[in-house]
Each structure stands twice: as C-alpha cells, then as structure tokens.
Amino acid sequence: MAKPVSIEVWNPNGKYRVVSTKPMPGTRWINLLIEQDCRVEICTQKKTILSVEDIIALIGDKCDGVIGQLTEDWGETLFAALSRAGGKAFSNMAVGYNNVDVNAANKYGIAVGNTPGVLTETTAELAASLSLAAARRIVEADEFMRAGLYDGWLPNLFVGNLLKGQTVGVIGAGRIGSAYARMMVEGFKMNLIYYDLYQATRLEKFVTAYGQFLKANGEQPVTWKRASSMDEVLREADVISLHPVLDKTTYHLINKERLATMKKEAILVNCSRGPVIDEVALVEHLKQNPMFRVGLDVFEDEPYMKPGLSEMKNAIVVPHIASASKWTREGMATLAALNVLGKIKGYPIWGNPNQVEPFLNENAQPPAASPSIVNSKALGKIKISNVGTVCLTISGYP
C-alpha cells in the first residue's frame, strides 16, 4: 500500500473533485476549474515519476477526473481505480498518449484527453535550435570556454557547418515537421527534401514562393523535393529532423543500416519520440563518425540514455523540453483541465483539436466543449464544430 501523498487543495468545498498528479504552469487552469465548482487537488510530492500506487492513493474513494502526465502508466489498474471512484475523465498534459491504454479507458467508459494544437511552433523551434547548435558546435564551444581552455583564436577551433545552401530533410511533414521546414528554409535559406505519405501542398507552395522572392532579389532560389522514400532523404540531406508518429512501423526507424546511408557530416535531430531511433546503434555511429552530430530531446528508454550517449561530444541532449515555452506549457495545462471539465459537465467535443485558440484566449471564457478527446468515437460522444454547430451521432463522429 502506497503512503499518502502530499497535496495542495484549491476550493475545498467544490462539488467536483479533480486531481492533478503534478503542479502545472500558470493558474488559469486552476481558476477555470474552480469557477465551475471543482475542488482541485494538486500532488506536491517531491517525486519526478509517480507510481501506480501513488496515483491510486491520489484518486481515493471519490474522484471525478484526473489530469496526468506522459511519464505515468495509465492502464487497466488506474482506469479501474478511477472508475470505482466515479471518475469520468482523464487527460494527459501532452499531445502524445503512448502511456495510455485507451482500450482500458474505453472498457470503463472514461474519456481520454490530450493537448494538440498548442505545441507546433514551440516544438519546431527547439528542433531548429538543436539543428543550429549541432551545426555550429555551440555546446562543445560553451563547455570549452567554461573549462578555461580558451587561450586565443585559432583557425580550426570548433569549425562547424554552414547551413545556408545546404539541404534540410524532414521525415514526417505534418504540422510540426512543416513548421520546422519553414523555419529552416526561410531562416537559413536551405533547400528542402521531405518524405511523408501525404503531399505537403502548403509547405511546397511556401518554399516555391520564398524561392521566387529570393530570385527576384538577385539571390539563389531555394528548392523543394518530395522524396519517394525515407532513405532518399537520409542519403541526400545535410540536416535531418524526425517528425513521425510512433507505432510498430516507426520503431527503430533509424537503425544501424540507415545511419550508414547518411552523410558523414550529417546532423540528425529528434524531437518526436525516442524509440524512433535505435539508440545503441546511434552511440556506435557517433563513436565511429566524430563529425556526425545529433540533437536529441527524447530518448528510447526515457528518462535514461543508452550507455555511452552522454559521453559523446558530438551529441546534444536535452531533457524533453520541446514544449517548454511558458505560453505552450500554460496552454497545455489549460487544455488538459478543460478536457476533464468538459466531460464532468457533459459538454460536447470540440470539432478540430488542432484549432484551439478560442480555449487559450485569456480575455474571454473558453467554449463549453472538451478541446480534444481521443476516444470520443469509441465512447459515442457529441461533436461540436468550431463555429458552434452541434452534430450528434450514435456511434461517434458523423
């Protein structure tokens, strides 16, 4: 039996009990729940990752909904406990939900929320930052200075790669991949090669228009190319950023064989999902190719790194901070809270979970809807369009 966990309580006499397994940025999410008569309990336990037993203790005998984190194992045990406590909703404070057994949630009739639509630019910015930091060896140079090793300018000191005129490769040209591509093309005048199952028409038009602008001003125009395979991107690009979903087809997408096809001085960036890269193979490749560089925000066995990765000077590693801008994290907290609140209050589901600006406007009340419920179809929920039209079907979305 887990020991009782420490909590902070807001609005102790609220009708509905909502638990957050972690303190989250900002206070708007708390205020929105309080305004709708919720008692909000926030776990303040000094523990990075709560165990299943810890969360069961938090849920207790009566709980209407839980806001959780992607580090937690939300499966049969937790959904059963939440159901016994009368719970109706769980929301990850994350766009991904690989930590959630959605089938188990369906079994107990519990809505599962996530927070898309608010991470696109923030995540793309970090991918661009890692690309630039790796290309110009910024982390290595910073460590060199702090160690007191700099004793004067040298012609060969921390020579890196010029991005201008090189080719950026994007694997997965969805919202984040396309935003990253635009940043690299416009910011550094890079050419683009991308691979996606679907044509990224808007991205292609953007690169074409920017190329025409450069040409009109006497500069070399940028170009784009849609690759016929992922391997074509790996062979041709100088900087490659990974933006696929994680499923059985993308597990270890980047392995020993594919690393070997990349340029010796290529840069590989991953802000998507850790298991997309075979980390053991990556460490070996970094050892054998000192001018090959990587920038990683996610890891195969997070929060751990495979042995040897932390020792690689040609690897930049950061602790899953792609969404860590104030605006984005506060927005994620708000969306997660509203997912839970919407289910408690019987609100319909928002029609487009990637267009969530109305929920984030601090100068207005948010729509009476749950921003994003991933299992709404399975639970047969009402859908509301962005302009307020309600559609009801027995089985789910029309």
Side-chain angles (χ1 to χ4, degrees):
M1 179 66 68
K3 296 180 181 179
V5 291
S6 58
I7 59 171
E8 174 184 304
V9 180
W10 295 69
N11 192 30
N13 296 319
K15 178 180 179 181
Y16 309 104
R17 181 171 177 261
V18 175
V19 170
S20 176
T21 63
K22 290 291 179 188
M24 299 190 296
T27 57
R28 183 170 182 252
W29 69 274
I30 298 173
N31 293 330
L32 288 170
L33 290 172
I34 290 173
E35 289 168 6
Q36 296 296 321
D37 204 15
C38 292
R39 171 189 169 104
V40 181
E41 296 186 13
I42 303 170
C43 179
T44 56
Q45 196 84 357
K46 300 299 181 184
K47 191 174 183 181
T48 302
I49 301 176
L50 296 181
S51 67
V52 168
E53 291 73 22
D54 291 331
I55 298 172
I56 290 174
L58 277 173
I59 291 170
D61 297 327
K62 181 187 181 301
C63 181
D64 295 285
V66 177
I67 303 167
Q69 305 297 322
L70 54 77
T71 53
E72 300 157 3
D73 182 14
W74 278 85
E76 173 82 20
T77 303
L78 287 182
F79 285 119
L82 183 55
S83 178
R84 286 194 300 270
K88 299 178 176 68
F90 164 79
S91 184
N92 250 8
M93 184 195 153
V95 64
Y97 48 96
N98 298 103
N99 62 310
V100 180
D101 183 344
V102 178
N103 289 330
N106 293 341
K107 175 181 174 181
Y108 292 100
I110 294 173
V112 174
N114 68 336
T115 62
V118 73
L119 299 93
T120 300
E121 299 297 327
T122 299
T123 303
E125 282 183 4
L126 186 76
S129 299
L130 290 173
S131 301
L132 181 59
R136 298 305 301 272
R137 305 176 65 181
I138 291 172
V139 174
E140 292 176 78
D142 177 84
E143 292 175 350
F144 183 83
M145 286 294 294
R146 293 178 190 276
L149 299 175
Y150 181 60
D151 56 8
W153 185 89
L154 289 170
N156 290 317
L157 188 62
F158 293 110
V159 173
N161 297 354
L162 177 69
L163 295 179
K164 180 183 178 182
Q166 291 197 325
T167 297
V168 60
V170 172
I171 294 174
R175 292 180 305 278
I176 295 172
S178 290
Y180 166 82
R182 292 194 302 269
M183 290 176 188
M184 302 304 289
V185 169
E186 186 175 19
F188 302 106
K189 299 176 183 175
M190 300 186 76
N191 298 310
L192 170 68
I193 181 172
Y194 79 92
Y195 175 73
D196 197 288
L197 295 177
Y198 303 97
Q199 186 173 6
T201 305
R202 291 181 62 187
L203 177 59
E204 293 173 0
K205 289 180 178 178
F206 174 88
V207 179
T208 298
Y210 185 57
Q212 292 170 346
F213 168 81
L214 291 175
K215 186 175 181 179
N217 285 273
E219 296 188 61
Q220 181 70 27
V222 293
T223 63
W224 63 265
K225 176 183 179 182
R226 183 185 179 192
S228 59
S229 69
M230 188 186 72
D231 295 303
E232 187 179 356
V233 176
L234 297 178
R235 289 193 304 269
E236 295 187 15
D238 301 289
V239 180
I240 295 133
S241 190
L242 305 175
H243 300 279
V245 298
L246 176 61
D247 58 26
K248 63 182 181 181
T249 68
T250 59
Y251 177 79
H252 283 189
L253 194 68
I254 304 299
N255 53 24
K256 178 180 178 180
E257 291 73 25
R258 282 184 164 142
L259 285 166
T261 68
M262 297 173 66
K263 295 180 179 180
K264 295 295 185 183
E265 296 188 4
I267 294 166
L268 178 65
V269 173
N270 188 17
C271 291
S272 60
R273 297 288 184 269
V276 166
I277 297 178
D278 180 346
E279 217 165 279
V280 171
L282 177 63
V283 171
E284 189 59 33
H285 191 77
L286 289 167
K287 288 178 181 178
Q288 296 177 2
N289 299 275
M291 294 310 295
F292 183 94
R293 294 189 282 278
V294 296
L296 303 175
D297 179 56
V298 288
F299 305 90
E300 187 172 352
D301 296 321
E302 203 164 311
Y304 309 106
M305 292 186 286
K306 294 295 187 184
L309 182 59
S310 63
E311 302 160 16
M312 295 294 100
K313 294 293 185 182
N314 47 343
I316 299 172
V317 291
V318 296
H320 205 146
I321 58 170
S323 65
S325 68
K326 183 175 182 293
W327 181 84
T328 294
R329 288 283 172 89
E330 289 185 0
M332 293 166 68
T334 295
L335 295 173
L338 291 175
N339 281 331
V340 171
L341 179 65
K343 177 59 175 154
I344 291 172
K345 303 289 283 187
Y347 294 157
I349 313 301
W350 191 242
N352 187 342
N354 294 307
Q355 294 181 0
V356 294
E357 290 80 2
F359 295 96
L360 306 177
N361 182 1
E362 296 187 8
N363 298 316
Q365 282 295 310
S370 290
S372 178
I373 301 298
V374 301
N375 59 341
S376 60
K377 186 174 182 179
L379 297 180
K381 298 306 172 188
I382 300 172
K383 170 186 174 183
I384 183 171
S385 77
N386 301 44
V387 294
T389 302
V390 177
C391 308
L392 176 61
T393 58
I394 294 174
S395 61
Y397 285 131

